[in-house]
């Protein structure tokens, strides 16, 4: 230990003087290390953020297959529970749901048995019914979030409403009910149901009227609850099935089409919305291009580092010969060279880390803006804006120190590997010289 500390005491000042004496070589090394560490960190962070966005979209918009009627004529056939059960046994099919919607008028709200009709002058609302409301695309995507209570189910029924619109906070001390009027071909229905849950809106549910987005007030109910009132309000000639992987869609479609069912009146169709498919394809194409660029850049940049170190070492060998003629130990000379290279690396790490950390929020914002940009002016503008808001809400920015450490670690590994090779060569040279 004493010998090591003595060696450090001797070679460290000499290494520092050598750095200052060869300013051009030192600055070239600093610039190279700074460029490599910061660029590696930026590449890695961009890759990680892109992957995070893609995985989030894939999880919230699973691959979908719609089983629906293909003929407009009325048929006596309908979806049977046995057929649905058979489809759910198909590999990669993980869940199913059906969503129907109809218009209604909000008549009154009630609290603990007291109705307030004067504050709600028959406001138009949209009622959406689901087998499983939790699988409704609004909730799966994150556009809406359940904040209190539960989703309506087939046993308890009830309604799920917008907490902000109704100004409701559910707890055990109040019993909130909704009364609404539904107009159908069979006549008018007055529906009174308790509020079993409230949701908040991350991005408003909008309906385009004359190219103008108009916010909709949506109330969610369970399909069974509505069928008990009137089965005419719910369309049951379609069913949506969810896959566990986007990459299994083609294989699953072949399997589904081989099932026994009424092929003349029904069929399976991939039903992921066009804008989400475009969004995912955009990210995947970007990731493929980035992967290829990163591999090429990694090879070239690593080669540049090795060339710089080799060239620097060849120049330093002249100093080694002079030190050797003066009686200096080869170990001290090699140690001095090691200190000089590691000092360049250490100094370059500081601005590299600062640049990488400060650029991360810019990278995150730019990537989010790019992948949610309409293909052409005006196309998918509203739906892409929805995705941008949902992703911004779902992914909180934090500085990723791990990618910075990975970049620093990779450059350090290349340097250490080169220095080990130099050390082995120097030891062998010393051995044959003394022999």
């Amino acid at each position: 230990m004493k010998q090591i500390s003595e060696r450090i005491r001797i070679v460290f000042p000499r290494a520092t003087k050598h750095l200052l004496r060869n300013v051009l070589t030192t600055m070239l090394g600093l610039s190279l290390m700074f460029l490599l560490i910061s660029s590696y960190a930026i590449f890695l962070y961009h890759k990680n953020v892109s992957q995070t966005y893609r995985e989030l979209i894939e999880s919230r918009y699973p691959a979908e297959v719609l089983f629906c009627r293909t003929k407009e004529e009325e048929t006596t056939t309908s979806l049977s529970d046995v057929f649905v059960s058979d489809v759910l046994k198909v590999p990669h099919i993980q869940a199913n749901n059906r969503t129907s919607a109809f218009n209604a008028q909000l008549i009154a709200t009630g609290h603990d048995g007291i109705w307030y009709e004067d504050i709600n002058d028959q406001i138009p609302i949209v009622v959406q019914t689901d087998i499983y409301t939790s699988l409704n695309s609004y909730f799966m995507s994150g556009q809406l979030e359940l904040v209190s209570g539960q989703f309506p189910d087939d046993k308890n029924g009830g309604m799920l409403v917008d907490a902000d619109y109704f100004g409701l906070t559910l707890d055990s001390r109040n019993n909130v009910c909704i009364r609404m009027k539904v107009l159908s071909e069979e006549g008018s229905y007055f529906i009174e149901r308790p509020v079993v849950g409230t949701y908040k809106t991350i991005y408003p549910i909008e309906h385009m009227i004359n190219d103008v987005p108009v916010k909709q007030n949506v109330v969610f109910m369970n399909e069974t609850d509505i069928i008990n009132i009137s089965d005419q309000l719910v369309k049951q000639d379609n069913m949506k099935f969810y896959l566990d992987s986007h990459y299994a869609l083609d294989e699953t479609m072949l399997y589904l089409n081989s099932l026994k069912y009424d092929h003349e009146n029904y069929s399976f169709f991939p039903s992921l919305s066009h804008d989400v498919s475009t969004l995912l394809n955009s990210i995947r194409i970007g990731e493929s291009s980035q992967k290829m660029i990163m591999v090429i850049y990694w090879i070239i940049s690593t080669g540049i580092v090795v060339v710089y170190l080799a060239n620097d070492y060849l120049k330093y060998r002249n100093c080694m010969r002079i030190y050797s003629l003066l009686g200096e130990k080869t170990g001290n000379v090699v140690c001095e060279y090691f200190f000089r290279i590691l000092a360049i690396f250490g100094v370059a790490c500081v601005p590299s880390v600062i640049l990488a950390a400060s650029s991360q929020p810019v990278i995150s914002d730019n990537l989010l803006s790019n992948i949610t940009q309409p293909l052409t002016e005006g196309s998918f503008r509203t739906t892409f804006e929805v995705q941008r808001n949902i992703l911004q809400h779902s992914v909180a920015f934090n500085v990723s120190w791990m990618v910075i450490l990975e970049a620093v670690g990779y450059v350090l590994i290349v340097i250490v590997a080169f220095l080990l090779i130099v050390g082995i060569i120097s030891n062998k040279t010393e051995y044959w010289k003394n022999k």
Side-chain angles (χ1 to χ4, degrees), residues 163-217:
D164 292 334
Y165 182 85
F166 287 94
L168 298 177
T169 302
L170 291 185
D171 55 39
S172 59
R173 294 172 296 178
N174 58 17
N175 298 306
V176 183
C177 294
I178 299 294
R179 180 184 293 165
M180 61 184 182
K181 179 181 179 181
V182 180
L183 297 176
S184 70
E185 296 177 356
E186 295 181 331
S188 301
Y189 297 93
F190 287 90
I191 302 175
E192 293 181 8
R193 290 292 184 274
V195 175
V196 296
T198 61
Y199 66 85
K200 69 175 180 179
T201 302
I202 305 307
Y203 192 89
I205 302 173
E206 297 176 336
H207 179 65
M208 301 300 291
I209 300 178
N210 296 327
D211 295 328
V212 177
V214 178
K215 182 178 179 180
Q216 287 186 318
N217 177 24

Side-chain angles (χ1 to χ4, degrees), residues 341-354:
I341 297 299
L342 292 176
I344 292 174
F345 169 78
V347 172
C349 278
V350 178
S352 302
V353 170
I354 294 174

Side-chain angles (χ1 to χ4, degrees), residues 259-277:
L259 296 177
K260 294 181 179 179
Y261 62 91
D262 185 358
H263 288 266
E264 292 184 0
N265 296 303
Y266 290 89
S267 188
F268 286 100
F269 298 97
S271 63
L272 191 66
S273 64
H274 191 187
D275 59 308
V276 175
S277 298

Side-chain angles (χ1 to χ4, degrees), residues 330-356:
T330 303
N332 288 348
V333 179
V334 173
C335 188
E336 177 185 335
Y337 174 72
F338 285 8
F339 267 117
R340 188 166 62 82
I341 297 299
L342 292 176
I344 292 174
F345 169 78
V347 172
C349 278
V350 178
S352 302
V353 170
I354 294 174
L355 176 63

